[in-house]
Amino acid sequence: MRETTVTPADPAGQDGQGGQDVQGGQDVRSVQGGQGEWGTARPGPRGTSSDGNARTSGVIAGAGPVTRPGERPTVRLREGDGDDTAQEPPRYAPEWLRLREPADAAARAAGLLDPLRIRLADLPGRTGGLVVHDLGCGTGSMGRWLAPRLDGPQHWILHDRDPYLLHFAAVGSARTAADGSRVTVETRRGDVARLTPDALAGASLVTASALLDVLTREEVDTLAAACAGAGCPALLTLSVAGRVELTAPDPMDEEIAAAFNDHQRRGGLLGPDAVTAACEAFAGHGATVQVHPSAWRLGPDEAALTAQWLRGWVGAAVEERPGLAARAETYLAARLAACAAGELHVTVHHSDLLALARPTDGVR
């Protein structure tokens, strides 16, 4: 098992590791620990992931490494030598992530922000600003949505397996908070299955979008345990709920949805069971959990997104149940025609989860 560590970035940018790169007046630090991956990668529009990434191969779960003096807590990597990129699963294209970003922003549950703000206001060391870890950040849409809705200085640590997406996330990140305070960004690579409380030392908040449904039950418990150990809340948005509504209804809707949901569960991933599992995991670690709906509501103005989503939704269903192929081809053609004519409306149900871990250091 290989292990990499990331040393503290040289403020002068002379260490060759993270450095400081000022882009558009924003402090952007890139801290990459080698071949490890945070988050996971999921191809195409499989499911409804936005910035989370899914993997098709397993991730070895377990405790994180013990750091040596002077090293930043990081993650232990998968087995293997040399360049692992050839073995990595497909990743999301930035074009897909950009296409769905407006629908994601409209869907996220704003009702969870007030209880989150109250908890963040009570955190120790708040005068130094917030430190937010965004897991499986993709192109950074979660930060662009959330940072301008929170007050005070913020430092976002963006985690993803893909350095290409991390570049987009860093240069496109929010620059100011709701009250005009500065927002800075740092990027890292690593494996969510290796998340530990030490890696979250000093964290004010953990966020993710469309991540829970592409994790296993063990990985969700690892995430819940890490947040509990760090005493920080988690805002985990846009997890698939397994329900889709299309107008006008078609007899095949339920068959496609059921096959798609089974496809989401391949390899032990939680898919539409993720939010229930996460509620159990976070509650088991002492957190108070709230869940709000966060559905996509797609109409004629979102026709491009709807068409892409339809192809991925039906394609995954057919991959899971090849016997559907002939009928699914006719079904998809009809749905795409209705979409192009501006006649199709789709509701894709998701859930947002806010977990408020038991505070540490005497926070009430």
Side-chain angles (χ1 to χ4, degrees), residues 255-295:
E255 285 185 82
I256 297 293
F260 175 82
N261 289 342
D262 287 343
H263 190 276
Q264 287 264 291
R265 297 183 178 104
R266 283 185 170 190
L269 303 186
L270 287 167
D273 308 316
V275 171
T276 298
C279 287
E280 294 171 353
F282 278 95
H285 288 282
T288 301
V289 181
Q290 300 180 45
V291 176
H292 284 198
S294 55

Coordinates of all heavy atoms in Angstrom, one line a residue, residues 255-295:
E255 N -40.7 1.0 -15.2 CA -39.7 -0.1 -15.5 C -38.3 0.5 -15.7 O -37.3 0.0 -15.2 CB -40.1 -0.8 -16.9 CG -41.2 -1.7 -16.8 CD -41.4 -2.4 -18.1 OE1 -40.7 -3.4 -18.3 OE2 -42.3 -2.0 -18.9
I256 N -38.2 1.7 -16.4 CA -36.9 2.3 -16.6 C -36.4 2.8 -15.2 O -35.2 2.6 -14.9 CB -37.1 3.5 -17.6 CG1 -37.5 3.0 -18.9 CG2 -35.7 4.3 -17.6 CD1 -36.5 2.2 -19.7
A257 N -37.2 3.4 -14.4 CA -36.8 3.9 -13.1 C -36.3 2.7 -12.2 O -35.2 2.9 -11.6 CB -37.9 4.6 -12.4
A258 N -37.0 1.6 -12.2 CA -36.6 0.5 -11.4 C -35.2 -0.1 -11.9 O -34.4 -0.4 -11.0 CB -37.7 -0.6 -11.4
A259 N -35.1 -0.2 -13.2 CA -33.8 -0.7 -13.7 C -32.7 0.2 -13.4 O -31.6 -0.2 -13.1 CB -33.9 -1.0 -15.2
F260 N -32.9 1.5 -13.6 CA -31.9 2.5 -13.3 C -31.5 2.4 -11.8 O -30.3 2.5 -11.5 CB -32.4 3.9 -13.6 CG -31.5 5.0 -13.2 CD1 -30.4 5.3 -14.0 CD2 -31.6 5.7 -12.0 CE1 -29.5 6.3 -13.7 CE2 -30.8 6.7 -11.7 CZ -29.7 7.0 -12.5
N261 N -32.5 2.3 -10.9 CA -32.1 2.3 -9.5 C -31.3 1.0 -9.2 O -30.4 1.1 -8.4 CB -33.4 2.2 -8.7 CG -34.1 3.6 -8.7 OD1 -33.6 4.6 -9.0 ND2 -35.4 3.6 -8.3
D262 N -31.6 -0.1 -9.8 CA -30.8 -1.3 -9.6 C -29.4 -1.0 -10.1 O -28.4 -1.5 -9.6 CB -31.4 -2.5 -10.3 CG -32.6 -3.0 -9.6 OD1 -32.9 -2.6 -8.5 OD2 -33.4 -3.7 -10.3
H263 N -29.3 -0.3 -11.3 CA -27.9 0.0 -11.8 C -27.1 0.8 -10.8 O -25.9 0.7 -10.7 CB -28.1 0.7 -13.1 CG -26.8 0.9 -13.9 ND1 -26.0 1.9 -13.7 CD2 -26.3 0.2 -14.9 CE1 -24.9 1.8 -14.5 NE2 -25.1 0.8 -15.3
Q264 N -27.8 1.8 -10.2 CA -27.1 2.6 -9.2 C -26.6 1.8 -8.0 O -25.6 2.2 -7.4 CB -28.2 3.6 -8.6 CG -28.5 4.7 -9.6 CD -27.7 6.0 -9.4 OE1 -27.8 6.6 -8.4 NE2 -26.8 6.3 -10.3
R265 N -27.2 0.7 -7.7 CA -26.7 -0.1 -6.6 C -25.6 -1.1 -6.9 O -25.2 -1.9 -6.1 CB -27.9 -0.9 -6.0 CG -29.0 0.0 -5.5 CD -30.1 -0.9 -4.9 NE -31.2 -0.1 -4.3 CZ -32.4 0.1 -4.8 NH1 -32.7 -0.4 -6.0 NH2 -33.3 0.9 -4.2
R266 N -25.2 -1.1 -8.2 CA -24.1 -2.1 -8.6 C -22.9 -1.9 -7.7 O -22.5 -0.8 -7.3 CB -23.7 -1.8 -10.0 CG -24.7 -2.4 -11.0 CD -24.2 -2.2 -12.5 NE -25.0 -3.0 -13.4 CZ -24.6 -3.1 -14.7 NH1 -23.5 -2.6 -15.2 NH2 -25.4 -3.8 -15.5
G267 N -22.2 -3.0 -7.5 CA -21.0 -3.0 -6.7 C -21.1 -2.5 -5.3 O -20.1 -2.1 -4.7
G268 N -22.3 -2.6 -4.7 CA -22.5 -2.3 -3.3 C -22.7 -0.8 -3.1 O -22.7 -0.4 -1.9
L269 N -22.8 0.0 -4.2 CA -23.1 1.4 -4.0 C -24.5 1.6 -3.5 O -25.4 0.8 -3.7 CB -22.9 2.2 -5.3 CG -21.5 2.1 -5.9 CD1 -21.4 3.0 -7.1 CD2 -20.4 2.4 -4.9
L270 N -24.7 2.7 -2.8 CA -26.0 2.8 -2.1 C -27.1 3.3 -3.0 O -28.3 3.1 -2.8 CB -25.9 3.8 -0.9 CG -25.2 3.2 0.3 CD1 -24.8 4.3 1.2 CD2 -26.0 2.2 1.0
G271 N -26.8 4.1 -4.1 CA -27.8 4.6 -5.0 C -28.9 5.3 -4.2 O -28.7 6.1 -3.4
P272 N -30.2 5.0 -4.6 CA -31.3 5.6 -4.0 C -31.5 5.3 -2.5 O -32.3 6.0 -1.8 CB -32.5 5.1 -4.8 CG -32.0 3.8 -5.3 CD -30.6 4.0 -5.6
D273 N -30.7 4.4 -1.9 CA -30.8 4.1 -0.5 C -29.8 5.0 0.3 O -29.7 4.8 1.5 CB -30.4 2.6 -0.2 CG -31.3 1.7 -1.1 OD1 -32.5 1.9 -1.2 OD2 -30.7 0.8 -1.7
A274 N -29.1 5.9 -0.3 CA -28.0 6.6 0.3 C -28.4 7.5 1.4 O -27.8 7.5 2.5 CB -27.2 7.4 -0.7
V275 N -29.5 8.2 1.2 CA -29.9 9.2 2.3 C -30.3 8.5 3.5 O -30.0 8.9 4.7 CB -31.0 10.1 1.7 CG1 -31.6 11.0 2.9 CG2 -30.4 11.0 0.7
T276 N -31.1 7.4 3.4 CA -31.5 6.6 4.6 C -30.3 6.1 5.3 O -30.2 6.2 6.5 CB -32.4 5.4 4.1 OG1 -33.6 5.9 3.5 CG2 -32.8 4.6 5.3
A277 N -29.3 5.5 4.5 CA -28.1 5.0 5.2 C -27.3 6.1 5.8 O -26.7 5.9 6.9 CB -27.2 4.3 4.1
A278 N -27.2 7.3 5.2 CA -26.5 8.4 5.8 C -27.2 8.9 7.1 O -26.5 9.3 8.0 CB -26.4 9.5 4.8
C279 N -28.5 9.0 7.1 CA -29.2 9.4 8.3 C -28.8 8.5 9.4 O -28.6 8.9 10.5 CB -30.7 9.4 8.0 SG -31.3 10.8 7.0
E280 N -28.9 7.2 9.1 CA -28.5 6.2 10.2 C -27.1 6.3 10.6 O -26.8 6.3 11.9 CB -28.8 4.8 9.6 CG -30.2 4.5 9.3 CD -30.4 3.2 8.6 OE1 -29.4 2.5 8.2 OE2 -31.6 2.7 8.4
A281 N -26.2 6.5 9.7 CA -24.8 6.6 10.0 C -24.5 7.9 10.9 O -23.8 7.8 11.9 CB -23.9 6.6 8.8
F282 N -25.0 9.0 10.4 CA -24.7 10.3 11.2 C -25.4 10.2 12.5 O -24.8 10.7 13.5 CB -25.1 11.5 10.4 CG -24.1 11.9 9.3 CD1 -24.2 11.5 8.0 CD2 -23.1 12.7 9.7 CE1 -23.3 11.9 7.1 CE2 -22.1 13.2 8.8 CZ -22.2 12.7 7.4
A283 N -26.6 9.8 12.6 CA -27.3 9.7 13.9 C -26.6 8.7 14.8 O -26.5 8.9 16.0 CB -28.8 9.2 13.7
G284 N -26.1 7.6 14.2 CA -25.3 6.7 15.1 C -24.0 7.3 15.7 O -23.5 6.8 16.7
H285 N -23.5 8.3 15.0 CA -22.4 9.0 15.6 C -22.7 10.3 16.4 O -21.9 11.1 16.6 CB -21.4 9.3 14.5 CG -20.7 8.1 13.9 ND1 -19.6 7.6 14.5 CD2 -20.9 7.4 12.8 CE1 -19.2 6.5 13.8 NE2 -19.9 6.4 12.8
G286 N -24.0 10.4 16.7 CA -24.4 11.4 17.6 C -24.9 12.7 16.9 O -25.2 13.7 17.6
A287 N -25.0 12.7 15.6 CA -25.4 14.0 14.9 C -26.9 14.1 14.9 O -27.7 13.1 14.9 CB -24.8 14.0 13.5
T288 N -27.3 15.4 14.8 CA -28.7 15.7 14.5 C -28.9 15.9 13.0 O -28.1 16.6 12.4 CB -29.2 17.0 15.2 OG1 -29.0 16.8 16.7 CG2 -30.6 17.3 14.9
V289 N -29.8 15.2 12.4 CA -29.9 15.1 11.0 C -31.2 15.7 10.5 O -32.3 15.4 11.0 CB -29.8 13.7 10.5 CG1 -29.8 13.7 8.9 CG2 -28.4 13.1 11.0
Q290 N -31.2 16.6 9.5 CA -32.3 17.1 8.8 C -32.2 16.7 7.3 O -31.2 16.8 6.7 CB -32.5 18.6 9.0 CG -32.6 19.1 10.4 CD -32.7 20.6 10.5 OE1 -33.4 21.2 9.7 NE2 -31.9 21.2 11.4
V291 N -33.4 16.4 6.7 CA -33.4 16.1 5.3 C -34.5 16.9 4.6 O -35.6 16.9 5.1 CB -33.6 14.6 5.0 CG1 -33.8 14.3 3.5 CG2 -32.5 13.7 5.7
H292 N -34.2 17.6 3.5 CA -35.1 18.3 2.8 C -35.1 17.9 1.3 O -34.0 17.5 0.8 CB -34.8 19.8 2.8 CG -35.2 20.5 4.1 ND1 -35.3 21.9 4.2 CD2 -35.4 20.0 5.3 CE1 -35.6 22.2 5.5 NE2 -35.7 21.1 6.2
P293 N -36.2 17.9 0.6 CA -36.2 17.6 -0.8 C -35.5 18.6 -1.6 O -35.5 19.8 -1.3 CB -37.7 17.5 -1.1 CG -38.4 18.4 -0.1 CD -37.6 18.3 1.1
S294 N -34.9 18.1 -2.7 CA -34.2 19.1 -3.6 C -34.3 18.6 -5.1 O -33.3 18.2 -5.7 CB -32.7 19.1 -3.2 OG -32.1 17.9 -3.1
A295 N -35.5 18.5 -5.6 CA -35.8 18.0 -6.9 C -35.3 18.9 -8.0 O -35.5 20.1 -7.9 CB -37.2 17.6 -7.0

